[in-house]
Amino acid sequence: MNGLSGPFLIVHNIGHARDAVATAKELGRPVTLVSAPGAAASIGPEVFKKIIDAVRNEFPTANVNAVLDCGSNPGPALQAIRHGCENIRLDAEVDVLNKLRDMAVGEVLDGAPLDAYDMADGSAGVAAWLQGQEKQ
């Protein structure tokens, strides 16, 4: 599917990102933060990148990847690439994904469902979910 390692955690704001990374770091786990669905069009790639940069600066030894979800619109995906977002996710035809893969620094994921914990469900369950992912 992709070269990114999970577990995948969906974050909606910087508080979610901090909680996710702090918990993963405490457990010695890598983590891939995925924006909320379609976040490229709502908060935009620049804000998402600032959130990720802030969390990486706050937890410099944590193993953190990030994916900006661009929904089904290639326009925000192009913006994300221009703003330096490493990895993006787009629900699009294979030829569109391949063109973006030629331009992107990191991974371009398709819109296939991810096995992910949504931080909107609360931070309390993150540790147990991460530990369960470790056993898979």
Side-chain angles (χ1 to χ4, degrees):
M1 175 174 116
N2 64 66
L4 293 174
S5 61
F8 298 99
L9 299 173
I10 299 172
V11 297
H12 299 262
N13 56 51
I14 195 164
H16 288 164
R18 282 183 176 129
D19 289 349
V21 173
T23 303
K25 185 177 184 311
E26 186 176 302
L27 295 172
R29 300 288 319 273
V31 68
T32 298
L33 304 178
V34 181
S35 73
S42 58
I43 67 167
E46 193 170 6
V47 170
F48 183 71
K49 187 170 183 327
K50 285 182 180 182
I51 288 171
I52 299 306
D53 289 346
V55 171
R56 284 179 173 155
N57 285 334
E58 192 171 332
F59 301 95
T61 60
N63 185 350
V64 179
N65 285 306
V67 178
L68 178 60
D69 190 300
C70 300
S72 59
N73 187 343
L78 288 169
Q79 275 188 308
I81 291 169
R82 279 194 291 262
H83 282 285
C85 292
E86 297 159 12
N87 307 294
I88 60 174
R89 184 169 184 239
L90 180 68
D91 188 9
E93 297 294 322
V94 173
D95 61 328
V96 173
L97 294 172
N98 287 336
K99 288 177 185 175
L100 291 170
R101 286 178 179 127
D102 289 340
M103 294 183 262
V105 171
E107 299 285 333
V108 176
L109 308 182
D110 61 25
L114 294 173
D115 182 16
Y117 182 87
D118 193 331
M119 293 296 291
D121 293 336
S123 298
V126 176
W129 190 83
L130 287 170
Q131 289 169 329
Q133 291 295 300
E134 189 171 40
K135 295 172 184 161
Q136 292 182 0

